[in-house]
Amino acid sequence: MKRFLLSLAVAVFSAVSALGMSLRDAQTQAYFLSDKMAYELNLTPWQYDQVYQVNLEYFLNINSPYDANGYFWNYRNTDLSYILYD
């Protein structure tokens, strides 16, 4: 019984730690990156909103350090290229 409870606790803690960033952390990072991009690229308000949404989606989908340069990185860059085309 003790082994079962211990293994259940380990499984729960592993699942919680694998969730990635919290919403608040992702929003903070997305605002910071979007503000920096707006300053350096002179974004319009519409572009700023779109860039923020893309950055937020990117940060919410990062679950480990290995995800930072993976599929979602390419997806984010493709979305940004459409927004910043003009």
Side-chain angles (χ1 to χ4, degrees):
M1 184 68 175
K2 287 182 184 180
R3 278 190 186 164
F4 176 72
L5 290 177
L6 182 61
S7 62
L8 181 64
V10 168
V12 168
F13 287 121
S14 297
V16 170
S17 67
L19 292 177
M21 290 183 131
S22 68
L23 178 62
R24 183 168 294 214
D25 291 339
Q27 287 174 333
T28 302
Q29 293 295 326
Y31 274 124
F32 174 77
L33 188 57
S34 300
D35 286 342
K36 187 173 182 179
M37 291 174 76
Y39 175 75
E40 293 180 3
L41 300 174
N42 296 323
L43 300 179
T44 64
W46 179 84
Q47 286 175 323
Y48 178 84
D49 291 337
Q50 296 299 312
V51 165
Y52 170 74
Q53 291 298 323
V54 169
N55 286 331
L56 180 61
E57 182 179 353
Y58 169 69
F59 285 119
L60 287 174
N61 286 309
I62 292 179
N63 293 324
S64 71
Y66 301 109
D67 291 340
N69 290 328
Y71 171 76
F72 292 109
W73 176 258
N74 293 330
Y75 184 76
R76 174 188 169 269
N77 288 341
T78 303
D79 280 351
L80 289 177
S81 70
Y82 292 124
I83 296 168
L84 304 174
Y85 180 75
D86 293 334

